[in-house]
Amino acid sequence: MIDIALPKGRLGEKVYELFENMGYSVNESLKTTRKLVLEDSNKEVRFFLIKPSDVAVYVERGVADIGIVGKDSLIESGVDVYELLDLGMGKCSMCVCSPINYVDDGRKTLNIATKYPNITRDYYINRDIDIIKLNGSIELAPLLGLSHVIVDIVETGGTLRENNLKVDAKIMELSARVIASKSRYNFNKAAIDNLINLMDTRTI
Ligand code: PRP
């Protein structure tokens, strides 16, 4: 049996659809179930439903064989895992954004609200910055004067548009990745490779 850490929410549901197309399924709706461990009816795989930013930790610690994470969570968490496959799903960008009238004069300390302090620190390596770590609705921070700019994910751009914000710089492109625990991969390599190859042929 292979243990798979799935991120709860939008991305997890898309990835679960991919597993269904591959012939795996559980007798529950991922959208409504409160269960956190779901077993495939043929008992070939087990899914753990995990907060997206915690998936990499479960995999690094060897509690799951593989996991699906956004590249953003993967970089931010700094975990020591194998990155085996780019699923090409959940494509988006990590960007610096600010109110449409804001101009960064480059001189004073830049206040930045973000869920991603490590990515932000690495990007502003030569700049005096003050990071304000938040957990969600990041776009609100510059609107209310909590920060000058934000570092956050832009997918459709809808949240920026509806809140009169703009993209100032693109830091990196992101998408969903399949990661594997180093210890469990070395122990279970053939089975994990088979599953990854199957996932690869089913993604676009
Ligand atoms: C993410 C991200 C942006 C938004 C971008 O937030 O932090 O706020 O999606 O998507 P868009 O460009 O398609 O509008 P999420 O919905 O995960 O919720 P959060 O604000 O609680 O982090």
Side-chain angles (χ1 to χ4, degrees):
M1 179 175 280
I2 296 181
D3 290 327
I4 302 167
L6 280 187
K8 279 187 185 179
R10 264 181 298 178
L11 178 59
E13 283 159 24
K14 272 192 209 161
V15 175
Y16 178 69
E17 268 177 40
L18 170 68
F19 279 102
E20 278 189 320
N21 291 338
M22 288 159 52
Y24 301 100
S25 69
V26 296
N27 298 321
E28 305 272 345
S29 156
L30 242 61
K31 281 196 179 131
T32 53
T33 187
R34 300 299 295 165
K35 282 190 183 173
L36 300 170
V37 178
L38 302 167
E39 201 167 285
D40 166 59
S41 39
N42 299 321
K43 301 192 184 333
E44 290 173 0
V45 299
R46 221 161 34 148
F47 297 104
F48 304 148
L49 302 186
I50 300 175
K51 188 177 162 67
S53 53
D54 291 340
V55 165
V57 176
Y58 280 82
V59 175
E60 183 187 41
R61 298 278 177 153
V63 172
D65 292 279
I66 64 169
I68 286 71
V69 281
K71 183 74 177 175
D72 51 314
S73 304
L74 188 54
I75 296 175
E76 182 63 26
S77 61
V79 289
D80 185 20
V81 295
Y82 293 130
E83 186 179 325
L84 299 180
L85 181 65
D86 181 350
L87 282 176
M89 295 175 174
K91 285 189 178 170
C92 52
S93 312
M94 184 68 68
C95 296
V96 180
C97 310
S98 66
I100 43 175
N101 295 324
Y102 177 78
V103 181
D104 179 6
D105 63 13
R107 276 176 293 177
K108 59 177 178 287
T109 302
L110 189 65
N111 296 98
I112 308 167
T114 188
K115 279 190 274 192
Y116 304 95
N118 295 328
I119 291 173
T120 301
R121 226 172 274 118
D122 286 349
Y123 181 69
Y124 284 103
I125 199 116
N126 292 317
R127 180 84 196 264
D128 184 16
I129 58 167
D130 178 19
I131 294 175
I132 301 155
K133 166 80 168 66
L134 297 176
N135 297 302
S137 301
I138 310 298
E139 291 85 355
L140 196 55
L143 295 180
L144 301 185
L146 182 62
S147 71
H148 297 120
V149 303
I150 60 172
V151 167
D152 199 20
I153 286 171
V154 178
E155 191 175 352
T156 62
T159 312
L160 294 182
R161 272 192 303 279
E162 291 195 24
N163 292 288
N164 298 316
L165 300 165
K166 65 180 185 314
V167 173
D168 293 327
K170 190 182 277 190
I171 299 177
M172 64 181 85
E173 303 280 357
L174 304 165
S175 58
R177 309 297 161 98
V178 182
I179 56 171
S181 149
K182 288 194 164 175
S183 56
R184 289 183 71 158
Y185 181 72
N186 293 334
F187 184 71
N188 207 5
K189 188 173 183 311
I192 293 174
D193 279 346
N194 277 342
L195 188 64
I196 301 289
N197 287 337
L198 195 55
M199 289 175 86
D200 197 13
T201 58
R202 298 301 169 102
T203 51
I204 316 147

